[in-house]
C-alpha cells in the first residue's frame, strides 16, 4: 500500500514539477528566455480565427472600420498583456494564482479559475470546428463526428509533457506556418480581386466610417481581447529574471500585434479580395490539399495552448475548492474531452452569447488585476507588496476583487444585451473593465486591505515583491 502511494506521489510530482500548476515557479526554475516564451504565445497568435474575424468585419462593416478596431485591440490588449506579463514574471504565478493574493481570496479566485477554464474549453471547441469544417470541405466522405473525435483527441498527447513540449512543438511548426501563409498570400494576390479598388477602401452599401459600424467591430474584438493578455501569464512565469525588462513587452505586446494586426489585417485583405468571410473555405480553395494541412497546423498550434491553459485553471479550481489534486495530465484529458463534447453539441450555434459574456468577464478580470497591482499595491500601498497563493495565509474571500468583478461583469453583461443603450452595447467589455478598475480601488480603500492576507509570509524573496 505504501509503495503504491509513493509511486502515485512520484508520478504527481513528475507531472507538476515542470508546470507548477498549484504553486509559484521558484526563482531558480525561471530559466526560459523571452524568445522561447514569446514563440509559445504565438500559438494563439497564428490561429485562423483571426482571419475569420478580419474577413467578417471587413465584409459586413467596411475595411477601414475593421482596421481601426484592430488598432484599438492591439493597444488595449497590449497594455494589459504587458502589465500581466510583468506581474507573472515577478511573482512566478499565472493569473489563477495571482488572483488569490491579488484581490480575490483563495475561494474567490476559484470563481475566476473556473470561468477561465470554460473559456479555453469553448475556444478549443471553436478552433476545432474550424479545422473540422476545412478538412470536411476537402474530404466530404469522412463524417464530421469522426473528424471531431480525431482532431479533438490529437491535442491531448501533445500536452502530456507540459511547457517544454509546447516550446518544441511551436518552434518546429512556426516555420511551416509561415511557408503556408506566404503561399496563400501569393496565390490570392495572383487571383483577380472581387473588389476593384484598394482593399482598405472597401465599404458595403449604406455603411459609413465610424458610428455604429465601428462600434460593432470593436464589440467583436472585445470577444477575444480579454483572453490574449491573460494567457501571457501562463508562460511569463517561467521568464528568466534578467530578461524581464524586454521580455514582458515581447510576451505581452508583440503577440497582440500579430493577432489583431497581422492575422486580422490579412483576414481583412483575404475577405475583400476573395469576397469570402470563411477562411476554412478560402484557404482550401487557394491551396487545395495543402490548405487543409495549413488549417490543421494552425488549429493544432492554438489548441495545444488552449488545452494547456485550461488544464492549469481546472487544477487550480479543484485543488482550491475540493482539495482534489490528481495532477495536470488528468485535467488535460478532462479539458480535451469537454472540448470534444462541445464540438459534438455544436457550440458554434451559441457563439455570440458565449463570446459576449466571456469578453466582458475577461477584460474586467484583467482590469482588476492591473488596478490592484498598479494603484492599490504600488501607489496606495494597501495590502502586501507581494502575491500569496497558499490557503493557510489567505482569507477565503476578498471583497476587493470579488465585488469589483461581480458588479462590473453584471452591469457589463446587461449593457452587452442592449438594456443600457446602443453605445454601451458595443463597448460593454471596455465599460466593464473601466468600472472594474474604479471599483477595485474604491473597495480596497473602504476595506483598508484587511482581507488580502490572514498571515504575513516570511519566505517571499525580495525580487518577487512588486511594491
Amino acid at each position: 500500500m505504501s509503495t503504491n502511494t509513493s509511486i502515485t506521489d512520484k508520478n504527481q510530482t513528475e507531472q507538476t514539477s515542470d508546470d507548477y500548476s498549484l504553486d509559484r515557479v521558484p526563482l531558480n526554475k525561471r530559466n526560459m528566455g523571452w524568445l522561447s516564451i514569446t514563440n509559445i504565445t504565438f500559438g494563439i497568435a497564428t490561429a485562423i480565427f483571426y482571419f475569420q474575424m478580419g474577413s467578417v468585419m471587413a465584409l459586413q462593416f467596411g475595411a477601414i472600420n475593421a482596421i481601426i478596431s484592430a488598432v484599438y485591440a492591439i493597444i488595449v490588449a497590449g497594455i494589459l498583456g504587458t502589465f500581466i506579463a510583468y506581474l507573472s514574471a515577478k511573482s512566478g504565478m499565472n493569473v489563477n494564482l495571482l488572483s488569490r493574493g491579488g484581490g480575490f481570496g483563495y475561494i474567490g479566485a476559484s470563481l475566476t479559475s473556473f470561468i477561465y477554464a470554460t473559456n479555453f474549453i469553448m475556444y478549443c471547441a471553436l478552433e476545432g470546428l474550424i479545422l473540422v469544417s476545412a478538412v470536411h470541405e476537402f474530404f466530404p466522405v469522412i463524417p464530421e463526428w469522426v473528424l471531431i473525435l480525431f482532431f479533438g483527441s490529437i491535442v491531448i498527447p501533445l500536452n502530456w509533457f507540459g511547457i517544454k513540449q509546447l516550446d518544441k512543438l511551436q518552434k518546429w511548426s512556426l516555420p511551416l506556418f509561415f511557408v503556408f501563409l506566404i503561399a496563400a498570400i501569393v496565390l490570392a494576390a495572383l487571383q483577380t480581386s472581387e473588389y476593384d479598388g484598394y482593399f482598405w477602401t472597401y465599404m458595403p452599401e449604406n455603411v459609413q466610417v465610424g458610428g455604429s459600424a465601428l462600434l460593432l467591430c470593436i464589440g467583436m474584438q472585445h470577444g477575444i481581447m480579454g483572453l490574449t493578455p491573460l494567457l501571457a501569464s501562463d508562460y511569463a512565469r517561467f521568464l528568466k529574471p534578467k530578461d524581464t525588462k524586454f521580455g514582458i513587452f515581447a510576451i505581452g505586446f508583440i503577440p497582440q500585434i500579430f493577432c489583431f494586426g497581422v492575422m486580422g489585417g490579412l483576414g481583412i485583405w483575404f475577405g475583400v479580395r476573395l469576397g469570402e468571410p470563411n477562411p476554412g473555405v478560402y484557404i482550401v480553395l487557394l491551396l487545395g490539399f495543402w490548405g487543409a494541412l495549413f488549417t490543421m497546423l494552425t488549429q493544432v498550434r492554438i489548441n495545444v495552448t488552449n488545452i494547456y491553459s485550461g488544464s492549469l485553471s481546472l487544477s487550480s479550481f479543484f485543488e482550491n475548492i475540493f482539495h482534489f489534486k490528481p495532477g495536470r495530465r488528468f485535467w488535460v484529458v478532462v479539458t480535451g474531452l469537454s472540448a470534444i463534447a462541445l464540438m459534438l453539441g455544436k457550440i458554434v450555434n451559441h457563439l455570440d452569447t458565449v463570446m459576449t459574456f466571456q469578453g466582458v468577464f475577461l477584460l474586467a478580470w484583467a482590469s482588476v488585476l492591473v488596478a490592484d497591482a498598479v494603484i492599490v499595491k504600488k501607489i496606495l500601498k494597501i495590502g502586501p507588496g507581494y502575491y500569496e497563493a497558499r490557503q493557510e495565509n489567505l482569507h477565503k474571500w476578498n471583497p476587493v476583487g470579488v465585488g469589483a468583478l461581480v458588479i462590473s461583469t453584471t452591469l457589463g453583461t446587461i449593457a452587452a444585451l442592449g438594456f443600457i443603450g446602443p453605445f454601451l452595447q458595443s463597448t460593454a467589455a471596455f465599460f466593464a473593465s473601466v468600472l472594474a478598475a474604479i471599483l477595485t480601488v474604491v473597495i480596497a480603500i473602504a476595506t483598508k486591505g484587511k482581507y488580502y492576507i490572514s498571515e504575513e509570509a516570511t519566505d517571499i524573496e525580495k525580487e518577487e515583491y512588486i511594491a
Side-chain angles (χ1 to χ4, degrees):
M1 185 74 172
S2 61
T3 303
N4 290 338
T5 303
S6 65
I7 290 171
T8 302
D9 290 342
K10 183 182 177 185
N11 288 341
Q12 237 177 295
T13 302
E14 287 173 354
Q15 284 186 37
T16 59
S17 61
D18 285 340
D19 290 282
Y20 299 95
S21 56
L22 303 176
D23 200 359
R24 72 174 70 235
V25 179
L27 273 169
N28 64 344
K29 297 293 184 181
R30 297 175 206 171
N31 51 19
M32 292 186 71
W34 66 267
L35 192 57
S36 288
I37 297 176
T38 304
N39 178 59
I40 294 173
T41 62
F42 264 61
I44 189 170
T46 55
I48 283 183
F49 177 77
Y50 295 102
F51 279 174
Q52 188 161 16
M53 289 269 289
S55 298
V56 168
M57 285 190 291
L59 292 176
Q60 286 189 10
F61 308 115
I64 192 66
N65 288 319
I67 291 168
I68 294 169
S69 75
V71 173
Y72 161 81
I74 290 168
I75 293 169
V76 175
I79 291 170
L80 286 174
T82 301
F83 272 114
I84 288 170
Y86 168 75
L87 299 179
S88 183
K90 286 287 284 184
S91 66
M93 300 180 186
N94 67 2
V95 286
N96 298 302
L97 297 176
L98 283 171
S99 295
R100 297 185 188 185
F104 290 86
Y106 72 83
I107 297 295
S110 299
L111 168 71
T112 59
S113 293
F114 185 72
I115 298 177
Y116 195 41
T118 61
N119 171 83
F120 283 111
I121 292 169
M122 186 271 290
Y123 277 114
C124 187
L126 173 62
E127 300 288 356
L129 284 172
I130 291 175
L131 172 56
V132 165
S133 66
V135 176
H136 188 66
E137 179 93 10
F138 203 80
F139 299 109
V141 69
I142 305 175
E144 283 195 355
W145 68 267
V146 172
L147 294 172
I148 287 172
L149 291 177
F150 176 73
F151 291 118
S153 302
I154 199 171
V155 290
I156 294 174
L158 292 174
N159 251 286
W160 209 245
F161 297 103
I163 194 163
K164 300 294 185 185
Q165 184 180 16
L166 292 189
D167 184 29
K168 291 176 183 174
L169 174 68
Q170 304 292 22
K171 269 179 183 169
W172 69 255
S173 60
L174 191 61
L176 284 176
F177 166 82
F178 280 116
V179 168
F180 282 127
L181 180 62
I182 292 166
I185 292 169
V186 170
L187 289 172
L190 292 174
Q191 289 197 11
T192 303
S193 176
E194 295 288 323
Y195 176 65
D196 289 336
Y198 294 111
F199 80 95
W200 59 83
T201 64
Y202 174 81
M203 192 69 68
E205 283 186 37
N206 302 318
V207 175
Q208 295 178 333
V209 177
S212 59
L214 176 58
L215 289 177
L216 286 167
C217 286
I218 288 172
M220 288 181 69
Q221 299 283 20
H222 282 154
I224 189 72
M225 272 171 58
L227 174 67
T228 49
L230 291 168
L231 183 69
S233 75
D234 286 333
Y235 310 103
R237 62 203 176 110
F238 292 100
L239 182 66
K240 292 175 182 176
K242 71 180 182 67
D243 286 359
T244 300
K245 187 172 286 188
F246 181 74
I248 60 167
F249 174 79
I251 298 164
F253 212 106
I254 292 175
Q256 319 305 331
I257 296 172
F258 204 87
C259 288
F260 303 105
V262 177
M263 294 294 285
L266 283 171
I268 295 168
W269 181 74
F270 278 126
V272 171
R273 187 168 189 82
L274 303 174
E276 168 60 55
N278 188 348
V281 173
Y282 61 67
I283 292 295
V284 172
L285 289 176
L286 285 169
L287 299 176
F289 172 73
W290 298 105
L293 280 181
F294 178 42
T295 307
M296 190 183 308
L297 177 71
T298 59
Q299 302 315 88
V300 167
R301 279 172 57 83
I302 174 61
N303 268 354
V304 292
T305 307
N306 283 332
I307 293 282
Y308 180 77
S309 293
S311 68
L312 292 180
S313 297
L314 287 178
S315 294
S316 181
F317 173 77
F318 280 91
E319 184 265 342
N320 236 352
I321 299 295
F322 303 107
H323 304 289
F324 181 54
K325 299 185 281 188
R328 190 188 63 84
R329 288 175 183 166
F330 174 84
W331 296 115
V332 165
V333 175
V334 170
T335 306
L337 293 179
S338 300
I340 290 171
L342 288 182
M343 283 190 272
L344 292 171
K346 301 294 182 184
I347 179 64
V348 73
N349 295 337
H350 310 283
L351 188 59
D352 287 348
T353 305
V354 175
M355 284 190 72
T356 296
F357 174 76
Q358 295 284 14
V360 168
F361 169 80
L362 291 172
L363 270 181
W365 181 21
S367 188
V368 169
L369 290 174
V370 172
D372 173 76
V374 176
I375 302 174
V376 176
K377 284 183 166 63
K378 287 182 81 72
I379 297 175
L380 300 178
K381 306 295 182 185
I382 296 174
Y386 60 87
Y387 285 96
E388 178 61 86
R390 293 164 293 191
Q391 289 188 9
E392 60 267 24
N393 293 343
L394 291 166
H395 293 283
K396 288 184 178 180
W397 300 93
N398 186 340
V400 174
V402 174
L405 185 67
V406 170
I407 294 169
S408 62
T409 300
T410 301
L411 291 176
T413 302
I414 291 170
L417 295 174
F419 293 111
I420 317 180
F423 177 76
L424 283 180
Q425 183 173 11
S426 297
T427 58
F430 186 77
F431 160 68
S433 67
V434 172
L435 182 60
I438 295 169
L439 288 171
T440 299
V441 177
V442 170
I443 299 172
I445 293 171
T447 58
K448 299 177 181 177
K450 63 182 180 181
Y451 295 101
Y452 276 89
I453 54 170
S454 59
E455 191 169 328
E456 192 86 28
T458 57
D459 58 348
I460 307 294
E461 300 283 350
K462 283 297 178 186
E463 297 95 317
E464 298 180 298
Y465 276 67
I466 65 157

